[in-house]
Amino acid sequence: MGADLVLEKIAGAYIEQQKDWETAALSNDEFLITNRNLMITASFSPEQLDSFGQSIKHEDALRFAEKELGITDFRLGIRWNRVVDDNSQINLEYYKPTLDYCLDGKKNVTLNAGLLKVFRWPEIHIPDFVLDNLNPKPPQGTQIESGTDLANKAREHTQRFYDSLGHSYSAEELSHIVTIQADNEAREAFGDERWTIHPLLVKEGIDLALQYFPNANILVNCGNILNQLGVTRLLEDIKQKGKVKGKVISGVDYYPRNSYLPAEGMPDSIGLAKAMAIFNLNPLEINRQSKVDEVELTEGQLEPWTNNPKLGEEALTRPGNSVREARYMLLRANKNILRTGQPSRAGVWGIERLVYLALTGQMTNEHKQIIDLIQKINFQQAA
């Protein structure tokens, strides 16, 4: 297959991308006409909220997201190094306000608590005292396999965490944990360690979770288009085994503007997936047509990659600061990631920052328009 055809496909994908950018200039009301199938959900990290420097109660941020933005489905991440003391004893104190608010019966929770990877950088949130005593400590870039010292310790910790949840909350409260995400972006390497998780270990984490949440949905997500086919096949295998009573959900993470892709002038990850169609391997389309029960946007970029752009990287500051950028992200995801015509969950990444700006009186008109967009999508059924 000639290089000219490859370049033609890439150019075509970029042209379509630019057309979507033009369409994203529509008003929020016009956007809603063709995107009524969306429901905005959110990942919420109390650590991320705290990082902005002002003391905002975690439950107040969640309350704003629920009452003002209509968000009732939250993905929560529980970090190993935040939920244990120096003796490896579980201590839920830091997460209690978040858990109490989200398990009140009016919200649905996706829980990402292990085995090893929990969302937000660097994703491997393992206590130093655990890392220092591994035998052996896996080298940088290792794929962590079942049966290794690290995998065994992670399983023991996760089991203790689930036990602690059972002692701290009633069965009724825990029933609102409707989805379990065993590891976040298991195939992607982040942080200093750059560890990834072997598919068999991902399955082990799912099996453990199902012992505690037997009726839960199962979510596995992917943040790299080159890994999407592997995730889709893993989920199809899980579904075929028939152990999951709930839904088997394939999550896709979409970042139109990040430092791994040129901010302007080249296709984004969706465009690259479309270009791969010349090999009959558009991984996003294969995922949409797969046998999984549901496809969701788990992380859709709604926060800037940087606040201090280098020359030529101004676009990296737009997500979370531009309503057109928000419409563009949701439009592209709805057309290319989510299943056509079906009610679909679109998870936004960066709700902590948006809520922080709202609660501290720092919103620009663009931020107010982003809030208006989310409100129009989530409150449309009640209108």
Side-chain angles (χ1 to χ4, degrees):
M1 190 168 293
D4 289 346
L5 181 57
V6 174
L7 291 174
E8 180 183 335
K9 284 289 185 180
I10 292 175
Y14 182 66
I15 290 170
E16 180 181 328
Q17 189 170 302
Q18 291 303 101
K19 289 180 179 178
D20 286 340
W21 180 246
E22 293 302 319
T23 302
L26 296 172
S27 70
N28 288 345
D29 289 315
E30 291 170 314
F31 174 87
L32 189 62
I33 293 172
T34 54
N35 294 277
R36 290 188 180 278
N37 63 306
L38 297 179
M39 179 181 74
I40 302 297
T41 68
S43 301
F44 178 78
S45 164
E47 293 91 347
Q48 185 72 7
L49 181 67
D50 292 345
S51 73
F52 299 129
Q54 292 194 32
S55 180
I56 295 176
K57 291 182 178 180
H58 304 160
E59 62 269 33
D60 287 344
L62 288 161
R63 185 174 295 108
F64 183 92
E66 180 189 10
K67 303 300 184 184
E68 300 300 324
L69 303 180
I71 296 174
T72 56
D73 283 42
F74 292 97
R75 184 172 66 137
L76 306 179
I78 308 295
R79 302 183 185 185
W80 188 350
N81 60 3
R82 176 71 78 168
V83 78
V84 296
D85 59 26
D86 291 341
N87 296 313
S88 288
Q89 297 302 304
I90 301 295
N91 185 340
L92 296 178
E93 181 180 1
Y94 179 77
Y95 292 107
K96 191 174 187 305
T98 297
L99 290 168
D100 286 355
Y101 190 83
C102 289
L103 297 178
D104 70 350
K106 300 176 182 177
K107 270 79 69 180
N108 293 321
V109 171
T110 295
L111 184 64
N112 173 213
L115 299 175
L116 283 166
K117 293 190 69 181
V118 173
F119 68 81
R120 284 285 175 191
W121 188 268
E123 307 219 349
I124 299 289
H125 305 285
I126 302 174
D128 289 340
F129 68 84
V130 174
L131 293 174
D132 292 342
N133 290 285
L134 289 174
N135 184 25
K137 179 179 178 180
Q140 185 184 62
T142 298
Q143 185 178 63
I144 308 301
E145 297 185 0
S146 180
T148 59
D149 190 36
L150 176 55
N152 290 339
K153 284 182 167 61
R155 179 186 175 89
E156 292 166 4
H157 158 71
T158 306
Q159 189 165 354
R160 286 195 300 270
F161 169 71
Y162 289 152
D163 285 336
S164 180
L165 276 184
H167 295 144
S168 303
Y169 294 93
S170 68
E172 170 60 27
E173 289 170 320
L174 293 178
S175 71
H176 300 292
I177 298 176
V178 298
T179 302
I180 294 292
Q181 180 189 3
D183 281 285
N184 188 63
E185 296 182 347
R187 290 172 177 257
E188 278 78 72
F190 295 119
D192 293 336
E193 306 297 351
R194 300 194 62 76
W195 291 332
T196 58
I197 316 298
H198 192 281
L200 291 179
L201 186 55
V202 174
K203 289 183 177 181
E204 185 176 317
I206 290 171
D207 288 343
L208 176 62
L210 289 175
Q211 293 178 28
Y212 291 86
F213 303 93
N215 298 313
N217 306 322
I218 294 300
L219 166 69
V220 178
N221 68 330
C222 182
N224 185 327
I225 197 66
L226 299 178
N227 294 329
Q228 184 62 59
L229 284 175
V231 171
T232 302
R233 299 308 180 218
L234 171 67
L235 285 165
E236 287 186 320
D237 181 63
I238 290 171
K239 181 170 176 59
Q240 185 179 23
K241 293 290 194 298
K243 293 181 180 180
V244 180
K245 295 180 182 178
K247 295 179 181 179
V248 174
I249 303 172
S250 178
V252 180
D253 300 343
Y254 174 47
Y255 287 76
R257 319 287 182 189
N258 65 40
S259 62
Y260 298 131
L261 293 169
E264 303 284 7
M266 285 286 288
D268 60 13
S269 58
I270 288 175
L272 292 174
K274 284 179 167 291
M276 291 169 69
I278 60 175
F279 306 107
N280 296 316
L281 284 176
N282 179 338
L284 294 179
E285 193 58 37
I286 291 172
N287 190 54
R288 287 209 292 188
Q289 296 181 19
S290 69
K291 296 179 181 179
V292 303
D293 296 306
E294 186 176 320
V295 176
E296 71 164 33
L297 176 67
T298 303
E299 297 177 11
Q301 188 179 14
L302 198 71
E303 67 181 16
W305 194 265
T306 177
N307 290 316
N308 299 296
K310 299 175 184 178
L311 184 65
E313 291 187 344
E314 289 80 4
L316 301 183
T317 67
R318 290 202 308 248
N321 294 319
S322 159
V323 67
R324 184 178 181 181
E325 194 75 36
R327 289 191 295 256
Y328 173 77
M329 180 273 291
L330 291 170
L331 169 70
R332 295 275 288 165
N334 205 15
K335 285 177 56 179
N336 300 286
I337 294 173
L338 302 173
R339 284 176 168 165
T340 305
Q342 293 188 12
S344 298
R345 294 157 45 86
V348 295
W349 180 258
I351 202 67
E352 305 95 341
R353 179 176 179 271
L354 183 62
V355 170
Y356 166 80
L357 294 174
L359 292 178
T360 57
Q362 299 183 59
M363 287 195 298
T364 66
N365 185 59
E366 290 292 314
H367 299 129
K368 293 175 182 177
Q369 285 297 304
I370 293 171
I371 284 179
D372 176 73
L373 174 64
I374 296 174
Q375 290 172 332
K376 280 185 163 60
I377 293 171
N378 278 352
F379 290 128
Q380 61 180 307
Q381 299 300 331

